[in-house]
Amino acid sequence: MGKKTDKLYITHSEWSSSDAYSSNTGSRATQDAGASFKRLPFNFCAASLQPFKNPVCTPNGTIFDVEVISKWLENHKTNPVDGEPLAARDLIKLNFSRNGDVDSKAADGTGSDGKGDLIDPVTFKVFTDNTHIVAIRHGTYANVFAWETVERMNIKAKMWRDLVDDVEFGRSDIITLQDPQNVAGRDLSKFQHLKDGGDALLTNEQEGDQKAGNININALGRVGDKVLRAKEAVEKARKEREAGKDVNRSSKAVTKAVAGNNVARPSMIQEKKQAYNAAAYTTGMAAASFTSTGLTPETSGERAVLTDEEYMLKPKRVKIKGYARIETNLGDLNIELQTEYAPKAVWNFTRLAQKGYYKGVSFHRNIKNFMIQGGDPSGTGRGGTSIWGKNFQDEFDGPLTHDSRGLLSMANKGKNTNSSQFFITYRPVKHLDRKHTIFGKVVGGTDVLNKMEAVPTDGSDRPLNKIYIKDVVVYLDPFDEFLKQKAERDKAAETKAEIERSGGTEDDRMTWTGKRIRQDGTVDQTSSGGNVGKYLQAARKQQNVEDEIIEEDVDTWEEPVKKKAKVGGFGNFDNW
């Protein structure tokens, strides 16, 4: 067990030797370990230290983004990593392969950017920081592979042809981009432009953020200077709010406004009204500026604003049903779209229809007493894309089920893989519930659906007589109608608010008895409205007329004869 011995134990001196890793080693373990370094990831540009978008490399295998290195070469004509001379003609374009179906950002594809991971084009293995990556050069471009693929299928097999485009190459054309056994070439501390005191080069996006004011260019240097600048910026913003009488942020201004004048006047405190499409989360700028001195300080948590599309695609927000017509060579089908429970599927269907995506597309699958499927421009059942260019999620929150004939539902190849294909049922298919998103139903043209079901098919359920879509016409777009109604409501609310700001209408300035309220708040006793109180005034006038007539006939009035009290009985008990 011991070193170079047959002892079954390890001595203290062996534990504390220079090549051991224990608490007894002391400071000697760090003397030979070498200085620690920061390693550049394989998919990062060596100049901007950010993920590359359009990668190129030098003949020795250093990877850059073409936009960043082009700007550097305009002024320096050298390699920013090793300082050697470098020209634009020496750069080699790299062709990376990507796996569009699998992305490490999100297993279900919801957080994916749609491009996928960098992979080996032959074995489909995903590249990592521990993968030996090489490029095979063909003049001005190079195809990227894993070293084990090239070693096994080219070098050992003595087949010196590119596995992607079948172009001949030699051993000298193999460029090593990353060798996990030799990571010194990716040590950031050895990069020449960083050793010279420079910073990472900015990408076009970062330069755009600087121009937009999202990055504080002056926040450079020591950490203490950054903190002082942040404090000064906050104090300057506070003084500007005080000088501008912004009583929303200044408590002193509120006190002065209350104590200085007791006369009733409209409140100056204007609460900021949230936008109708405000998200449930903030923009995150306050937290980002709090933790990063490279950002301009933000002191308010402002809600993020959703686009109209994001706002309307929330379930049960748009409750207007849409209507469309699918024109086929066998007749027309009228469709009612269920926007309330499947807004994403309805949006996808209507937008694809409006751009003419379904014109000439055939129904590639027809199973009698089950369903008919279409929506794939390739006609194979394996194609089609959504309006967003990637798959979107299922929508199962509503009460819709496959319980009748003529239901319009999304076709997919698994969970959250909806694209452009759909199918129409010929009978209730309850086993498809919560597997396929229902977004419409046939409300007209049932005879056409019967004709479709009667079309004969081959052994693969493909119709022998072609059934295709001439066009899909959207009669009532529920989303456009929703925006139109919202615009009308907003206009009416704005008109009402304007009336209130101007003092209200004539009816708003009247009491319930018809008296008018003056601008100073007093009630005009002489005025009366045209409706309330007019009958009381008419009755009062009639009473005055009758009183005048009675006064003229006083001399002719005769006193009525008094009735004689009855004698006998128990008498009158009123005085008891």
Side-chain angles (χ1 to χ4, degrees):
M1 184 174 180
K3 295 180 180 181
K4 300 180 182 180
T5 65
D6 57 354
K7 295 183 297 184
L8 299 181
Y9 60 91
I10 296 177
T11 64
H12 175 78
S13 60
E14 292 172 341
W15 270 113
S16 59
S17 60
S18 60
D19 58 346
Y21 297 93
S22 69
S23 59
N24 297 323
T25 305
S27 61
R28 289 177 305 212
T30 59
Q31 294 176 357
D32 300 330
S36 60
F37 64 92
K38 294 183 179 180
R39 177 179 178 180
L40 182 70
F42 78 96
N43 60 336
F44 274 48
C45 170
S48 65
L49 309 184
Q50 298 292 328
F52 55 69
K53 292 184 178 180
N54 300 303
V56 294
C57 76
T58 61
N60 60 358
T62 305
I63 303 178
F64 299 100
D65 192 284
V66 65
E67 296 180 354
V68 178
I69 191 61
S70 298
K71 293 181 180 179
W72 170 270
L73 293 178
E74 289 177 359
N75 301 323
H76 299 82
K77 308 297 183 182
T78 59
N79 190 329
V81 174
D82 54 16
E84 298 294 329
L86 181 66
R89 62 178 179 271
D90 299 330
L91 299 177
I92 305 167
K93 179 184 176 183
L94 295 178
N95 296 329
F96 279 92
S97 299
R98 290 181 179 269
N99 187 351
D101 297 333
V102 178
D103 198 314
S104 59
K105 296 181 180 178
D108 57 356
T110 56
S112 171
D113 57 0
K115 295 182 179 179
D117 292 328
L118 300 177
I119 61 170
D120 180 273
V122 178
T123 61
F124 296 99
K125 289 185 177 180
V126 178
F127 289 155
T128 66
D129 289 335
N130 298 318
T131 306
H132 192 169
I133 305 174
V134 297
I136 298 179
R137 179 176 182 176
H138 305 290
T140 59
Y141 75 95
N143 296 324
V144 181
F145 300 90
W147 165 251
E148 59 180 358
T149 301
V150 176
E151 183 183 28
R152 180 183 302 174
M153 305 188 69
N154 291 113
I155 299 176
K156 291 185 177 180
K158 297 182 180 180
M159 197 276 292
W160 297 95
R161 304 190 71 86
D162 195 299
L163 299 174
V164 173
D165 50 16
D166 199 31
V167 178
E168 188 174 355
F169 68 95
R171 188 182 291 271
S172 60
D173 295 325
I174 301 177
I175 302 174
T176 300
L177 302 180
Q178 175 179 259
D179 186 0
Q181 303 299 327
N182 182 20
V183 296
R186 310 192 70 83
D187 185 359
L188 293 177
S189 63
K190 297 182 180 179
F191 284 13
Q192 188 66 37
H193 68 296
L194 298 180
K195 291 169 63 178
D196 294 341
D199 295 321
L201 304 183
L202 297 180
T203 62
N204 290 341
E205 294 181 358
Q206 291 174 330
E207 291 180 353
D209 291 339
Q210 279 190 354
K211 294 179 181 179
N214 294 333
I215 296 180
N216 189 355
I217 305 177
N218 295 325
L220 301 173
R222 297 185 301 108
V223 176
D225 294 338
K226 298 178 183 179
V227 174
L228 291 177
R229 290 193 183 99
K231 289 182 178 180
E232 291 175 359
V234 173
E235 186 64 26
K236 181 180 179 182
R238 184 178 294 111
K239 290 180 179 179
E240 289 177 354
R241 288 197 297 270
E242 295 284 348
K245 303 299 182 183
D246 186 358
V247 296
N248 277 327
R249 303 291 182 87
S250 174
S251 59
K252 295 180 180 179
V254 175
T255 305
K256 292 179 181 178
V258 174
N261 192 359
N262 294 327
V263 179
R265 62 179 60 183
S267 175
M268 295 178 62
I269 299 179
Q270 301 290 336
E271 291 191 7
K272 185 176 180 181
K273 185 179 179 181
Q274 281 190 4
Y276 73 95
N277 55 348
Y281 49 88
T282 65
T283 58
M285 293 302 298
S289 63
F290 180 75
T291 56
S292 174
T293 55
L295 297 177
T296 303
E298 285 282 344
T299 58
S300 61
E302 185 178 354
R303 291 284 190 91
V305 178
L306 303 176
T307 63
D308 287 340
E309 177 182 342
E310 294 171 337
Y311 175 74
M312 292 187 294
L313 293 189
K314 184 178 180 181
K316 300 182 180 180
R317 175 156 287 164
V318 180
K319 299 185 179 181
I320 304 171
K321 293 185 177 181
Y323 292 92
R325 182 178 66 194
I326 302 177
E327 300 176 355
T328 69
N329 58 330
L330 298 182
D332 299 340
L333 296 173
N334 296 329
I335 305 297
E336 181 182 79
L337 302 174
Q338 306 292 338
T339 318
E340 182 177 1
Y341 302 111
K344 291 182 181 178
V346 174
W347 176 279
N348 178 68
F349 181 78
T350 55
R351 294 304 177 267
L352 289 177
Q354 290 171 351
K355 66 182 291 188
Y357 186 85
Y358 291 120
K359 285 185 179 180
V361 176
S362 61
F363 290 92
H364 59 272
R365 190 182 181 198
N366 187 19
I367 303 176
K368 188 175 182 180
N369 199 30
F370 182 33
M371 62 87 196
I372 183 169
Q373 182 176 339
D376 178 13
S378 67
T380 61
R382 295 186 293 271
T385 58
S386 69
I387 191 65
W388 300 284
K390 60 181 180 181
N391 297 335
F392 62 94
Q393 292 180 328
D394 298 321
E395 297 170 293
F396 299 143
D397 293 338
L400 303 177
T401 58
H402 297 83
D403 57 354
S404 62
R405 177 183 174 90
L407 291 177
L408 190 66
S409 188
M410 292 299 300
N412 58 42
K413 51 186 177 181
K415 182 180 179 181
N416 299 325
T417 57
N418 301 293
S419 57
S420 65
Q421 296 189 38
F422 59 89
F423 64 89
I424 305 174
T425 61
Y426 289 143
R427 65 173 177 86
V429 282
K430 299 289 289 184
H431 64 281
L432 298 182
D433 291 346
R434 303 194 65 80
K435 295 180 181 178
H436 296 269
T437 301
I438 303 172
F439 67 97
K441 65 179 179 180
V442 177
V443 294
T446 54
D447 56 332
V448 178
L449 196 62
N450 295 334
K451 293 179 183 179
M452 292 181 175
E453 187 177 9
V455 173
T457 59
D458 57 13
S460 60
D461 298 324
R462 184 178 294 275
L464 296 177
N465 301 326
K466 189 175 181 180
I467 308 173
Y468 64 91
I469 300 173
K470 294 182 178 179
D471 196 7
V472 177
V473 181
V474 180
Y475 283 122
L476 178 62
D477 191 329
F479 303 102
D480 291 347
E481 190 68 20
F482 175 81
L483 292 177
K484 188 185 301 181
Q485 293 181 5
K486 183 186 177 304
E488 293 175 356
R489 291 194 301 268
D490 293 345
K491 185 177 180 180
E494 181 63 27
T495 303
K496 184 178 179 181
E498 184 65 28
I499 293 174
E500 291 179 354
R501 286 193 294 268
S502 62
T505 61
E506 188 68 25
D507 292 338
D508 294 336
R509 293 194 293 267
M510 301 287 287
T511 65
W512 68 276
T513 58
K515 294 183 175 61
R516 187 172 64 87
I517 302 177
R518 297 190 180 94
Q519 292 292 338
D520 58 358
T522 61
V523 178
D524 187 0
Q525 299 292 342
T526 60
S527 65
S528 177
N531 295 324
V532 179
K534 67 179 181 178
Y535 299 108
L536 298 176
Q537 295 175 5
R540 189 180 297 111
K541 291 180 180 179
Q542 182 67 23
Q543 183 66 30
N544 293 336
V545 172
E546 291 176 357
D547 292 344
E548 293 176 359
I549 296 174
I550 292 173
E551 290 177 0
E552 292 176 357
D553 297 339
V554 170
D555 297 337
T556 61
W557 181 78
E558 294 181 359
E559 185 179 358
V561 180
K562 294 183 178 180
K563 293 182 180 180
K564 295 181 179 180
K566 293 182 179 182
V567 180
F570 295 100
N572 190 359
F573 296 93
D574 292 341
N575 294 329
W576 282 37

